[in-house]
Amino acid sequence: SSRFGKFIELELNSNCRLVGSRCRTYLLEKSRVVGQDAGERNYHIFYQMLAADPSMRATFELGNTAHTRDTMRYTKLGASKTDTIEGQTDAQRFQGTIAALALVAVEGDVLTRLLR
């Protein structure tokens, strides 16, 4: 249903092996997807990707400097111009996203295809 979403939380042991998971269903607030209040934004991964270093951006076809948060479809909709959330910049958060994906073996060509 378009009114509900699912959040899947994976539990890993110290060897990064899957040992369990939880799935939560939640109600989507459609109004927050198509418009945000002042200071809010959606699609955080797009802000993170645009904040990556130039060589990384080129890997997933965002190397053109004309691609900015003010020109890209999903980032220009946001009401917030901030690039820092809870003390971390979008660039720092992107590195954390890449590190988290590597923990579940999403790296190399698989990562590149995912980000394109």
mmCIF file of all heavy atoms in Angstrom, residues 52-100:
data_model
loop_
_atom_site.group_PDB
_atom_site.id
_atom_site.type_symbol
_atom_site.label_atom_id
_atom_site.label_comp_id
_atom_site.label_asym_id
_atom_site.label_seq_id
_atom_site.Cartn_x
_atom_site.Cartn_y
_atom_site.Cartn_z
ATOM 1 N N ALA A 52 29.946 14.334 -1.766
ATOM 2 C CA ALA A 52 31.118 13.454 -1.879
ATOM 3 C C ALA A 52 32.235 14.163 -2.638
ATOM 4 O O ALA A 52 32.002 15.125 -3.359
ATOM 5 C CB ALA A 52 30.722 12.165 -2.598
ATOM 6 N N ASP A 53 33.453 13.651 -2.471
ATOM 7 C CA ASP A 53 34.577 14.266 -3.176
ATOM 8 C C ASP A 53 34.410 14.062 -4.691
ATOM 9 O O ASP A 53 33.708 13.149 -5.126
ATOM 10 C CB ASP A 53 35.914 13.725 -2.669
ATOM 11 C CG ASP A 53 36.128 12.268 -2.995
ATOM 12 O OD1 ASP A 53 36.294 11.949 -4.188
ATOM 13 O OD2 ASP A 53 36.154 11.444 -2.067
ATOM 14 N N PRO A 54 35.033 14.931 -5.507
ATOM 15 C CA PRO A 54 34.820 14.911 -6.961
ATOM 16 C C PRO A 54 35.088 13.557 -7.630
ATOM 17 O O PRO A 54 34.341 13.155 -8.520
ATOM 18 C CB PRO A 54 35.780 15.980 -7.479
ATOM 19 C CG PRO A 54 35.926 16.928 -6.334
ATOM 20 C CD PRO A 54 35.871 16.064 -5.099
ATOM 21 N N SER A 55 36.122 12.842 -7.210
ATOM 22 C CA SER A 55 36.412 11.550 -7.856
ATOM 23 C C SER A 55 35.318 10.525 -7.554
ATOM 24 O O SER A 55 34.930 9.743 -8.419
ATOM 25 C CB SER A 55 37.782 11.023 -7.432
ATOM 26 O OG SER A 55 37.812 10.775 -6.039
ATOM 27 N N MET A 56 34.805 10.547 -6.336
ATOM 28 C CA MET A 56 33.715 9.633 -5.974
ATOM 29 C C MET A 56 32.447 10.015 -6.732
ATOM 30 O O MET A 56 31.747 9.152 -7.255
ATOM 31 C CB MET A 56 33.470 9.671 -4.465
ATOM 32 C CG MET A 56 32.309 8.808 -4.011
ATOM 33 S SD MET A 56 32.541 7.035 -4.254
ATOM 34 C CE MET A 56 33.338 6.614 -2.735
ATOM 35 N N ARG A 57 32.145 11.311 -6.821
ATOM 36 C CA ARG A 57 30.965 11.763 -7.564
ATOM 37 C C ARG A 57 31.030 11.314 -9.018
ATOM 38 O O ARG A 57 30.026 10.902 -9.587
ATOM 39 C CB ARG A 57 30.846 13.289 -7.512
ATOM 40 C CG ARG A 57 30.324 13.819 -6.210
ATOM 41 C CD ARG A 57 30.214 15.318 -6.234
ATOM 42 N NE ARG A 57 29.408 15.770 -7.353
ATOM 43 C CZ ARG A 57 28.797 16.932 -7.419
ATOM 44 N NH1 ARG A 57 28.889 17.764 -6.415
ATOM 45 N NH2 ARG A 57 28.094 17.277 -8.469
ATOM 46 N N ALA A 58 32.209 11.381 -9.609
ATOM 47 C CA ALA A 58 32.373 10.971 -11.006
ATOM 48 C C ALA A 58 32.071 9.485 -11.172
ATOM 49 O O ALA A 58 31.520 9.076 -12.196
ATOM 50 C CB ALA A 58 33.778 11.293 -11.488
ATOM 51 N N THR A 59 32.370 8.685 -10.158
ATOM 52 C CA THR A 59 32.122 7.249 -10.204
ATOM 53 C C THR A 59 30.650 6.942 -10.416
ATOM 54 O O THR A 59 30.295 6.019 -11.122
ATOM 55 C CB THR A 59 32.594 6.575 -8.897
ATOM 56 O OG1 THR A 59 33.957 6.892 -8.687
ATOM 57 C CG2 THR A 59 32.429 5.072 -8.951
ATOM 58 N N PHE A 60 29.782 7.720 -9.795
ATOM 59 C CA PHE A 60 28.348 7.479 -9.978
ATOM 60 C C PHE A 60 27.694 8.571 -10.815
ATOM 61 O O PHE A 60 26.521 8.902 -10.643
ATOM 62 C CB PHE A 60 27.611 7.238 -8.659
ATOM 63 C CG PHE A 60 27.977 8.130 -7.506
ATOM 64 C CD1 PHE A 60 27.419 9.381 -7.361
ATOM 65 C CD2 PHE A 60 28.892 7.696 -6.565
ATOM 66 C CE1 PHE A 60 27.740 10.189 -6.292
ATOM 67 C CE2 PHE A 60 29.234 8.506 -5.504
ATOM 68 C CZ PHE A 60 28.654 9.747 -5.363
ATOM 69 N N GLU A 61 28.454 9.101 -11.756
ATOM 70 C CA GLU A 61 27.974 9.991 -12.811
ATOM 71 C C GLU A 61 27.396 11.318 -12.316
ATOM 72 O O GLU A 61 26.463 11.860 -12.892
ATOM 73 C CB GLU A 61 26.980 9.260 -13.717
ATOM 74 C CG GLU A 61 27.619 8.063 -14.389
ATOM 75 C CD GLU A 61 26.677 7.263 -15.264
ATOM 76 O OE1 GLU A 61 25.514 7.668 -15.453
ATOM 77 O OE2 GLU A 61 27.117 6.221 -15.766
ATOM 78 N N LEU A 62 27.991 11.862 -11.244
ATOM 79 C CA LEU A 62 27.636 13.192 -10.767
ATOM 80 C C LEU A 62 28.851 14.119 -10.814
ATOM 81 O O LEU A 62 28.927 15.090 -10.075
ATOM 82 C CB LEU A 62 27.094 13.138 -9.330
ATOM 83 C CG LEU A 62 25.682 12.630 -9.152
ATOM 84 C CD1 LEU A 62 25.329 12.529 -7.672
ATOM 85 C CD2 LEU A 62 24.680 13.502 -9.873
ATOM 86 N N GLY A 63 29.812 13.794 -11.680
ATOM 87 C CA GLY A 63 31.042 14.568 -11.763
ATOM 88 C C GLY A 63 30.863 15.963 -12.331
ATOM 89 O O GLY A 63 31.658 16.854 -12.076
ATOM 90 N N ASN A 64 29.805 16.181 -13.100
ATOM 91 C CA ASN A 64 29.533 17.491 -13.685
ATOM 92 C C ASN A 64 29.270 18.497 -12.559
ATOM 93 O O ASN A 64 28.364 18.309 -11.752
ATOM 94 C CB ASN A 64 28.321 17.393 -14.614
ATOM 95 C CG ASN A 64 28.021 18.676 -15.336
ATOM 96 O OD1 ASN A 64 28.429 19.755 -14.930
ATOM 97 N ND2 ASN A 64 27.286 18.557 -16.433
ATOM 98 N N THR A 65 30.054 19.586 -12.519
ATOM 99 C CA THR A 65 29.897 20.564 -11.450
ATOM 100 C C THR A 65 28.570 21.328 -11.536
ATOM 101 O O THR A 65 28.198 22.019 -10.595
ATOM 102 C CB THR A 65 31.067 21.564 -11.439
ATOM 103 O OG1 THR A 65 31.159 22.178 -12.727
ATOM 104 C CG2 THR A 65 32.369 20.857 -11.089
ATOM 105 N N ALA A 66 27.855 21.190 -12.650
ATOM 106 C CA ALA A 66 26.526 21.801 -12.758
ATOM 107 C C ALA A 66 25.508 21.070 -11.886
ATOM 108 O O ALA A 66 24.440 21.597 -11.589
ATOM 109 C CB ALA A 66 26.060 21.821 -14.209
ATOM 110 N N HIS A 67 25.840 19.847 -11.484
ATOM 111 C CA HIS A 67 24.958 19.086 -10.598
ATOM 112 C C HIS A 67 25.181 19.572 -9.167
ATOM 113 O O HIS A 67 26.160 19.220 -8.527
ATOM 114 C CB HIS A 67 25.242 17.582 -10.684
ATOM 115 C CG HIS A 67 24.928 16.994 -12.015
ATOM 116 N ND1 HIS A 67 25.825 16.202 -12.684
ATOM 117 C CD2 HIS A 67 23.843 17.086 -12.803
ATOM 118 C CE1 HIS A 67 25.284 15.821 -13.834
ATOM 119 N NE2 HIS A 67 24.083 16.360 -13.923
ATOM 120 N N THR A 68 24.271 20.368 -8.678
ATOM 121 C CA THR A 68 24.351 20.889 -7.313
ATOM 122 C C THR A 68 23.038 20.631 -6.597
ATOM 123 O O THR A 68 22.038 20.266 -7.228
ATOM 124 C CB THR A 68 24.619 22.410 -7.299
ATOM 125 O OG1 THR A 68 23.451 23.082 -7.789
ATOM 126 C CG2 THR A 68 25.832 22.780 -8.128
ATOM 127 N N ARG A 69 23.015 20.859 -5.315
ATOM 128 C CA ARG A 69 21.779 20.663 -4.543
ATOM 129 C C ARG A 69 20.678 21.608 -5.001
ATOM 130 O O ARG A 69 19.506 21.361 -4.778
ATOM 131 C CB ARG A 69 22.047 20.780 -3.057
ATOM 132 C CG ARG A 69 22.539 22.164 -2.658
ATOM 133 C CD ARG A 69 22.934 22.286 -1.227
ATOM 134 N NE ARG A 69 21.772 22.107 -0.391
ATOM 135 C CZ ARG A 69 21.839 21.678 0.859
ATOM 136 N NH1 ARG A 69 22.979 21.391 1.396
ATOM 137 N NH2 ARG A 69 20.761 21.544 1.565
ATOM 138 N N ASP A 70 21.034 22.723 -5.656
ATOM 139 C CA ASP A 70 20.023 23.659 -6.142
ATOM 140 C C ASP A 70 19.520 23.332 -7.542
ATOM 141 O O ASP A 70 18.549 23.920 -8.002
ATOM 142 C CB ASP A 70 20.576 25.090 -6.119
ATOM 143 C CG ASP A 70 20.833 25.578 -4.708
ATOM 144 O OD1 ASP A 70 20.043 25.228 -3.803
ATOM 145 O OD2 ASP A 70 21.828 26.290 -4.497
ATOM 146 N N THR A 71 20.184 22.398 -8.234
ATOM 147 C CA THR A 71 19.759 22.059 -9.593
ATOM 148 C C THR A 71 19.182 20.653 -9.717
ATOM 149 O O THR A 71 18.460 20.385 -10.662
ATOM 150 C CB THR A 71 20.932 22.178 -10.598
ATOM 151 O OG1 THR A 71 21.951 21.238 -10.250
ATOM 152 C CG2 THR A 71 21.496 23.583 -10.622
ATOM 153 N N MET A 72 19.503 19.787 -8.795
ATOM 154 C CA MET A 72 19.033 18.408 -8.894
ATOM 155 C C MET A 72 17.589 18.297 -8.405
ATOM 156 O O MET A 72 17.186 18.931 -7.432
ATOM 157 C CB MET A 72 19.934 17.475 -8.087
ATOM 158 C CG MET A 72 21.388 17.467 -8.537
ATOM 159 S SD MET A 72 21.619 16.897 -10.224
ATOM 160 C CE MET A 72 21.392 15.150 -10.018
ATOM 161 N N ARG A 73 16.813 17.485 -9.073
ATOM 162 C CA ARG A 73 15.372 17.371 -8.832
ATOM 163 C C ARG A 73 15.010 17.108 -7.369
ATOM 164 O O ARG A 73 14.144 17.774 -6.809
ATOM 165 C CB ARG A 73 14.827 16.263 -9.717
ATOM 166 C CG ARG A 73 13.359 16.011 -9.540
ATOM 167 C CD ARG A 73 12.906 14.913 -10.454
ATOM 168 N NE ARG A 73 11.506 14.642 -10.253
ATOM 169 C CZ ARG A 73 10.889 13.640 -10.800
ATOM 170 N NH1 ARG A 73 11.532 12.818 -11.581
ATOM 171 N NH2 ARG A 73 9.623 13.440 -10.581
ATOM 172 N N TYR A 74 15.631 16.127 -6.735
ATOM 173 C CA TYR A 74 15.217 15.731 -5.394
ATOM 174 C C TYR A 74 15.792 16.614 -4.301
ATOM 175 O O TYR A 74 15.260 16.655 -3.206
ATOM 176 C CB TYR A 74 15.574 14.264 -5.132
ATOM 177 C CG TYR A 74 14.787 13.338 -6.018
ATOM 178 C CD1 TYR A 74 15.391 12.643 -7.045
ATOM 179 C CD2 TYR A 74 13.423 13.195 -5.844
ATOM 180 C CE1 TYR A 74 14.656 11.812 -7.877
ATOM 181 C CE2 TYR A 74 12.673 12.367 -6.659
ATOM 182 C CZ TYR A 74 13.301 11.679 -7.674
ATOM 183 O OH TYR A 74 12.574 10.867 -8.486
ATOM 184 N N THR A 75 16.875 17.323 -4.570
ATOM 185 C CA THR A 75 17.453 18.164 -3.530
ATOM 186 C C THR A 75 16.974 19.603 -3.598
ATOM 187 O O THR A 75 16.936 20.284 -2.583
ATOM 188 C CB THR A 75 18.991 18.123 -3.582
ATOM 189 O OG1 THR A 75 19.427 18.458 -4.899
ATOM 190 C CG2 THR A 75 19.511 16.755 -3.198
ATOM 191 N N LYS A 76 16.571 20.074 -4.754
ATOM 192 C CA LYS A 76 16.099 21.460 -4.815
ATOM 193 C C LYS A 76 14.722 21.624 -4.200
ATOM 194 O O LYS A 76 14.294 22.734 -3.911
ATOM 195 C CB LYS A 76 16.129 21.996 -6.249
ATOM 196 C CG LYS A 76 15.066 21.474 -7.169
ATOM 197 C CD LYS A 76 15.216 22.106 -8.544
ATOM 198 C CE LYS A 76 14.166 21.571 -9.492
ATOM 199 N NZ LYS A 76 14.303 22.150 -10.815
ATOM 200 N N LEU A 77 14.022 20.517 -3.936
ATOM 201 C CA LEU A 77 12.703 20.581 -3.308
ATOM 202 C C LEU A 77 12.778 20.851 -1.815
ATOM 203 O O LEU A 77 11.817 21.308 -1.217
ATOM 204 C CB LEU A 77 11.948 19.260 -3.535
ATOM 205 C CG LEU A 77 11.629 18.900 -4.980
ATOM 206 C CD1 LEU A 77 11.017 17.510 -5.033
ATOM 207 C CD2 LEU A 77 10.703 19.924 -5.594
ATOM 208 N N GLY A 78 13.920 20.533 -1.195
ATOM 209 C CA GLY A 78 14.050 20.665 0.254
ATOM 210 C C GLY A 78 13.980 22.107 0.714
ATOM 211 O O GLY A 78 14.465 23.013 0.054
ATOM 212 N N ALA A 79 13.361 22.312 1.862
ATOM 213 C CA ALA A 79 13.221 23.661 2.409
ATOM 214 C C ALA A 79 14.465 24.090 3.177
ATOM 215 O O ALA A 79 14.596 25.236 3.538
ATOM 216 C CB ALA A 79 12.000 23.706 3.326
ATOM 217 N N SER A 80 15.374 23.158 3.440
ATOM 218 C CA SER A 80 16.547 23.450 4.248
ATOM 219 C C SER A 80 17.789 23.591 3.380
ATOM 220 O O SER A 80 17.999 22.834 2.457
ATOM 221 C CB SER A 80 16.769 22.319 5.250
ATOM 222 O OG SER A 80 17.980 22.511 5.930
ATOM 223 N N LYS A 81 18.605 24.556 3.698
ATOM 224 C CA LYS A 81 19.871 24.742 2.986
ATOM 225 C C LYS A 81 21.051 24.244 3.817
ATOM 226 O O LYS A 81 22.193 24.465 3.473
ATOM 227 C CB LYS A 81 20.076 26.220 2.619
ATOM 228 C CG LYS A 81 19.032 26.743 1.651
ATOM 229 C CD LYS A 81 19.076 25.981 0.340
ATOM 230 C CE LYS A 81 18.025 26.487 -0.626
ATOM 231 N NZ LYS A 81 17.859 25.623 -1.766
ATOM 232 N N THR A 82 20.769 23.560 4.909
ATOM 233 C CA THR A 82 21.835 23.086 5.772
ATOM 234 C C THR A 82 22.573 21.911 5.137
ATOM 235 O O THR A 82 22.010 21.156 4.359
ATOM 236 C CB THR A 82 21.306 22.671 7.161
ATOM 237 O OG1 THR A 82 22.418 22.377 7.998
ATOM 238 C CG2 THR A 82 20.419 21.449 7.075
ATOM 239 N N ASP A 83 23.849 21.761 5.464
ATOM 240 C CA ASP A 83 24.600 20.585 5.031
ATOM 241 C C ASP A 83 25.147 19.846 6.248
ATOM 242 O O ASP A 83 25.986 18.965 6.122
ATOM 243 C CB ASP A 83 25.731 20.971 4.075
ATOM 244 C CG ASP A 83 26.851 21.740 4.755
ATOM 245 O OD1 ASP A 83 26.635 22.224 5.884
ATOM 246 O OD2 ASP A 83 27.933 21.853 4.165
ATOM 247 N N THR A 84 24.647 20.204 7.433
ATOM 248 C CA THR A 84 25.086 19.561 8.673
ATOM 249 C C THR A 84 23.863 19.154 9.481
ATOM 250 O O THR A 84 22.967 19.970 9.710
ATOM 251 C CB THR A 84 25.967 20.523 9.500
ATOM 252 O OG1 THR A 84 27.077 20.931 8.700
ATOM 253 C CG2 THR A 84 26.482 19.848 10.762
ATOM 254 N N ILE A 85 23.845 17.889 9.884
ATOM 255 C CA ILE A 85 22.761 17.369 10.709
ATOM 256 C C ILE A 85 23.402 16.694 11.914
ATOM 257 O O ILE A 85 24.280 15.838 11.762
ATOM 258 C CB ILE A 85 21.895 16.352 9.936
ATOM 259 C CG1 ILE A 85 21.233 17.039 8.741
ATOM 260 C CG2 ILE A 85 20.844 15.729 10.850
ATOM 261 C CD1 ILE A 85 20.507 16.085 7.831
ATOM 262 N N GLU A 86 22.979 17.097 13.086
ATOM 263 C CA GLU A 86 23.498 16.540 14.345
ATOM 264 C C GLU A 86 25.024 16.535 14.365
ATOM 265 O O GLU A 86 25.657 15.560 14.749
ATOM 266 C CB GLU A 86 22.929 15.140 14.583
ATOM 267 C CG GLU A 86 21.420 15.135 14.758
ATOM 268 C CD GLU A 86 20.837 13.749 14.905
ATOM 269 O OE1 GLU A 86 21.529 12.747 14.627
ATOM 270 O OE2 GLU A 86 19.654 13.667 15.275
ATOM 271 N N GLY A 87 25.614 17.629 13.906
ATOM 272 C CA GLY A 87 27.065 17.791 13.983
ATOM 273 C C GLY A 87 27.865 17.116 12.885
ATOM 274 O O GLY A 87 29.094 17.192 12.886
ATOM 275 N N GLN A 88 27.220 16.444 11.945
ATOM 276 C CA GLN A 88 27.939 15.785 10.851
ATOM 277 C C GLN A 88 27.515 16.392 9.518
ATOM 278 O O GLN A 88 26.323 16.556 9.258
ATOM 279 C CB GLN A 88 27.662 14.288 10.823
ATOM 280 C CG GLN A 88 28.392 13.504 11.880
ATOM 281 C CD GLN A 88 28.334 12.015 11.568
ATOM 282 O OE1 GLN A 88 27.301 11.501 11.168
ATOM 283 N NE2 GLN A 88 29.439 11.336 11.760
ATOM 284 N N THR A 89 28.508 16.675 8.677
ATOM 285 C CA THR A 89 28.213 17.204 7.352
ATOM 286 C C THR A 89 27.677 16.091 6.464
ATOM 287 O O THR A 89 27.828 14.902 6.771
ATOM 288 C CB THR A 89 29.465 17.789 6.689
ATOM 289 O OG1 THR A 89 30.398 16.728 6.453
ATOM 290 C CG2 THR A 89 30.105 18.883 7.535
ATOM 291 N N ASP A 90 27.064 16.480 5.359
ATOM 292 C CA ASP A 90 26.591 15.488 4.390
ATOM 293 C C ASP A 90 27.750 14.634 3.890
ATOM 294 O O ASP A 90 27.595 13.431 3.678
ATOM 295 C CB ASP A 90 25.881 16.168 3.220
ATOM 296 C CG ASP A 90 24.533 16.757 3.606
ATOM 297 O OD1 ASP A 90 23.858 16.179 4.488
ATOM 298 O OD2 ASP A 90 24.151 17.781 3.017
ATOM 299 N N ALA A 91 28.921 15.238 3.708
ATOM 300 C CA ALA A 91 30.092 14.480 3.248
ATOM 301 C C ALA A 91 30.493 13.427 4.279
ATOM 302 O O ALA A 91 30.799 12.278 3.928
ATOM 303 C CB ALA A 91 31.258 15.425 2.959
ATOM 304 N N GLN A 92 30.485 13.793 5.559
ATOM 305 C CA GLN A 92 30.806 12.826 6.617
ATOM 306 C C GLN A 92 29.757 11.718 6.682
ATOM 307 O O GLN A 92 30.090 10.544 6.842
ATOM 308 C CB GLN A 92 30.906 13.536 7.966
ATOM 309 C CG GLN A 92 32.095 14.460 8.079
ATOM 310 C CD GLN A 92 32.021 15.336 9.314
ATOM 311 O OE1 GLN A 92 30.964 15.866 9.662
ATOM 312 N NE2 GLN A 92 33.163 15.497 9.979
ATOM 313 N N ARG A 93 28.512 12.100 6.555
ATOM 314 C CA ARG A 93 27.440 11.099 6.581
ATOM 315 C C ARG A 93 27.527 10.151 5.383
ATOM 316 O O ARG A 93 27.213 8.978 5.492
ATOM 317 C CB ARG A 93 26.072 11.771 6.648
ATOM 318 C CG ARG A 93 25.808 12.385 8.000
ATOM 319 C CD ARG A 93 24.385 12.888 8.123
ATOM 320 N NE ARG A 93 24.158 13.339 9.479
ATOM 321 C CZ ARG A 93 23.759 12.551 10.485
ATOM 322 N NH1 ARG A 93 23.524 11.285 10.270
ATOM 323 N NH2 ARG A 93 23.590 13.043 11.689
ATOM 324 N N PHE A 94 27.954 10.685 4.241
ATOM 325 C CA PHE A 94 28.116 9.835 3.067
ATOM 326 C C PHE A 94 29.194 8.776 3.331
ATOM 327 O O PHE A 94 29.011 7.609 2.995
ATOM 328 C CB PHE A 94 28.475 10.667 1.832
ATOM 329 C CG PHE A 94 28.618 9.847 0.589
ATOM 330 C CD1 PHE A 94 27.511 9.261 0.001
ATOM 331 C CD2 PHE A 94 29.862 9.643 0.010
ATOM 332 C CE1 PHE A 94 27.633 8.488 -1.139
ATOM 333 C CE2 PHE A 94 29.990 8.878 -1.133
ATOM 334 C CZ PHE A 94 28.879 8.302 -1.705
ATOM 335 N N GLN A 95 30.300 9.184 3.953
ATOM 336 C CA GLN A 95 31.346 8.215 4.290
ATOM 337 C C GLN A 95 30.811 7.146 5.239
ATOM 338 O O GLN A 95 31.128 5.968 5.103
ATOM 339 C CB GLN A 95 32.563 8.928 4.896
ATOM 340 C CG GLN A 95 33.323 9.775 3.904
ATOM 341 C CD GLN A 95 33.794 8.973 2.696
ATOM 342 O OE1 GLN A 95 34.323 7.872 2.818
ATOM 343 N NE2 GLN A 95 33.574 9.521 1.513
ATOM 344 N N GLY A 96 29.962 7.543 6.179
ATOM 345 C CA GLY A 96 29.332 6.578 7.077
ATOM 346 C C GLY A 96 28.392 5.635 6.340
ATOM 347 O O GLY A 96 28.340 4.435 6.632
ATOM 348 N N THR A 97 27.667 6.160 5.361
ATOM 349 C CA THR A 97 26.771 5.327 4.550
ATOM 350 C C THR A 97 27.578 4.297 3.771
ATOM 351 O O THR A 97 27.219 3.113 3.739
ATOM 352 C CB THR A 97 25.941 6.209 3.591
ATOM 353 O OG1 THR A 97 25.135 7.101 4.369
ATOM 354 C CG2 THR A 97 25.056 5.368 2.687
ATOM 355 N N ILE A 98 28.681 4.744 3.159
ATOM 356 C CA ILE A 98 29.544 3.833 2.389
ATOM 357 C C ILE A 98 30.131 2.761 3.301
ATOM 358 O O ILE A 98 30.168 1.583 2.943
ATOM 359 C CB ILE A 98 30.664 4.632 1.670
ATOM 360 C CG1 ILE A 98 30.078 5.618 0.678
ATOM 361 C CG2 ILE A 98 31.664 3.702 1.002
ATOM 362 C CD1 ILE A 98 29.206 5.013 -0.387
ATOM 363 N N ALA A 99 30.565 3.155 4.494
ATOM 364 C CA ALA A 99 31.132 2.186 5.446
ATOM 365 C C ALA A 99 30.072 1.177 5.888
ATOM 366 O O ALA A 99 30.349 -0.026 5.998
ATOM 367 C CB ALA A 99 31.711 2.916 6.654
ATOM 368 N N ALA A 100 28.843 1.641 6.125
ATOM 369 C CA ALA A 100 27.760 0.736 6.536
ATOM 370 C C ALA A 100 27.424 -0.245 5.420
ATOM 371 O O ALA A 100 27.205 -1.438 5.671
ATOM 372 C CB ALA A 100 26.528 1.544 6.931
#
